[in-house]
Amino acid sequence: MRVLVTTAPLHGHFFPMVPLAWALRSAGHDVLVAAPANFVDDIAGAGLPAVPSAGPIGFADFMFHDRDGTPLTPPADPAARRAGSGRAWGRLAARTLDGVREIVGNWRPDLLVCEPTEYAGQLAAATAGIAWVEHWWGLAVQPEYRPFAQRELEPELQRLGLRDLPEPALRIDVSPPSVQRPGVPDAQRMRYVPFNGPALLPPWASQPRHRPRICVTLGSMLPKHGLLDFGGMLRDFAAGLTGLGADVVIAVDDQVAAGWTDLPDGVRAAGWLPLNLVLPACDLVVHHGGPGSVFTALALGVPQLALPQTADQFENADRMVATGAGLRLLPAERGTTTVVAACEQLLADPLFGKNAAVVAEEIATAPTPAEVVGVLERLAVPLRPDEERL
């Protein structure tokens, strides 16, 4: 079986699909991953074959600019921002659609696996008569995205002779039921296997420690594209947290940390570090509420403090807090003093760790990616009445 995986050029969208892609290859299937040219090195770094679906397309190119390159001002209203994001994902698909269709025509896959906001693969599959699977990256994608992406893609839909964006043959849900929002479409459950990028395990992460260790990160996007000084926030949070008698590790792109010369003792600016390698050596993680951070911490049973800033980060944080595995601070509450106080509470109360361990066990009971491969292999074969999903 040949499986084409399609993704936006974003780590948070692609990394959750990597374990299933590995499982497909281990089962003997051919896998190819398509994304804009600026992201193919990241795909290859994950050990997967890559093919460019278009030239380089940066996040700001489609998220903050219209089709003609006109800059857009993000609206202040959250609902309007979600609608705007939906249209942005549609603009990305419009730029990659012809390339994905050409890949499908030349490589002739038997199945496509697409992350929820990668609409070019979905359209290419529909026009080629190939089944496609929607692979969620955590919580089910925000429902406003799809209708507004469809509005943006009206010219492409008309050109392809389609009335609507196509529905998948299967959805894959990597969120445990206790975290997933209620009322989502039926989906095949699959274990969330943390993968946050290739790296070497730093020596300190496997050595004994005698003090609490806190990891502080705001992901890969906010420090680069956020409107606030998120790099400065990371530095200030880390310096304040040393007052708890803790060692602090800042996981941030090297370019962001390059200008930091005043870090106090006990703070390590560790560069870009995959959380799945670092968090087992930490007692707590402070992050921005991105799905990769939230679900990696949940899968590893590490308590967390979420500082959501935009998009789905607020819902990710709220669903995590509902499990009792951590706390969250809204933007108006976020400051060094409140962050330190919340971390002190998380370190002092063992209930947060116990609740995080319960969610980790729930995640571990879901079918593995290797088991879900069998479901994908049967997609073209109708289920008998007595058959059920795993």
Side-chain angles (χ1 to χ4, degrees):
M1 182 169 68
R2 287 186 169 186
V3 181
L4 179 65
V5 178
T6 64
T7 180
L10 295 169
H11 297 114
H13 293 217
F14 169 61
F15 283 167
M17 297 195 291
V18 169
L20 180 60
W22 284 343
L24 284 161
R25 293 199 74 194
S26 296
H29 301 297
D30 291 331
V31 175
L32 184 63
V33 185
N38 53 303
F39 200 67
V40 293
D41 286 346
D42 297 88
I43 296 167
L48 294 168
V51 59
S53 57
I57 305 176
F59 178 74
D61 295 339
F62 64 88
M63 188 59 65
F64 304 132
H65 293 81
D66 214 334
R67 287 197 186 206
D68 60 4
T70 302
L72 299 172
T73 301
D77 177 66
R81 293 190 72 167
R82 290 192 291 270
S85 293
R87 298 200 74 116
W89 300 123
R91 290 193 292 271
L92 174 63
R95 295 179 63 172
T96 60
L97 177 59
D98 289 342
V100 175
R101 292 188 69 200
E102 183 177 359
I103 294 165
V104 168
N106 292 337
W107 198 60
R108 302 181 62 83
D110 302 291
L111 179 72
L112 271 75
V113 177
C114 312
E115 50 97 345
T117 60
E118 202 298 295
Y119 298 107
Q122 303 172 21
L123 291 172
T127 55
I130 302 169
W132 69 277
V133 173
E134 183 178 88
H135 191 310
W136 298 349
W137 57 66
L139 298 182
V141 72
Q142 292 181 322
E144 297 95 332
Y145 288 174
R146 192 172 184 84
F148 284 96
Q150 180 165 311
R151 291 187 192 181
E152 181 68 34
L153 286 166
E154 281 297 335
E156 287 72 26
L157 289 169
Q158 291 181 15
R159 174 162 62 93
L160 298 176
L162 299 174
R163 293 185 56 187
D164 303 298
L165 288 173
E167 291 294 319
L170 181 76
R171 296 177 175 91
I172 294 177
D173 184 1
V174 295
S175 172
S178 67
V179 181
Q180 186 61 267
R181 80 163 76 97
V184 301
D186 290 339
Q188 166 68 55
R189 281 196 66 201
M190 189 177 79
R191 183 182 305 176
Y192 186 91
V193 178
F195 174 78
N196 308 111
L200 298 176
L201 180 70
W204 55 262
S206 58
Q207 294 170 353
R209 63 184 188 276
H210 307 289
R211 302 199 300 174
R213 180 179 289 139
I214 302 172
C215 177
V216 183
T217 180
L218 291 177
S220 59
M221 301 301 295
L222 283 179
K224 291 183 177 180
H225 298 288
L227 301 178
L228 303 177
D229 180 16
F230 290 104
M233 288 182 193
L234 284 170
R235 181 194 59 229
D236 294 344
F237 294 160
L241 289 169
T242 60
L244 299 179
D247 291 324
V248 182
V249 175
I250 308 178
V252 66
D253 188 278
D254 291 330
Q255 293 179 349
V256 176
W260 295 347
T261 59
D262 55 347
L263 294 178
D265 292 341
V267 176
R268 183 192 305 269
W272 176 255
L273 284 177
L275 291 183
N276 57 298
L277 291 183
V278 175
L279 291 193
C282 296
D283 302 281
L284 170 64
V285 59
V286 180
H287 59 72
H288 59 303
S293 300
V294 169
F295 283 91
T296 296
L298 288 173
L300 298 173
V302 178
Q304 47 190 304
L305 171 62
L307 310 174
Q309 173 69 23
T310 186
D312 60 350
Q313 296 167 9
F314 293 98
E315 188 175 17
N316 292 332
D318 289 344
R319 298 301 300 171
M320 177 274 294
V321 169
T323 70
L327 300 172
R328 68 109 167 92
L329 294 173
L330 295 175
E333 305 167 317
R334 183 190 58 222
T336 300
T337 300
T338 53
V339 166
V340 171
C343 288
E344 184 175 25
Q345 180 182 351
L346 288 164
L347 291 173
D349 189 344
L351 185 59
F352 291 106
K354 292 178 181 178
N355 291 335
V358 169
V359 180
E361 179 60 28
E362 182 185 6
I363 291 173
T365 63
T368 66
E371 293 173 296
V372 173
V373 167
V375 178
L376 301 188
E377 291 170 339
R378 299 195 300 269
L379 266 183
V381 181
L383 293 176
R384 300 190 307 268
D386 59 338
E387 284 186 316
E388 297 180 355
R389 294 196 181 115
L390 295 170

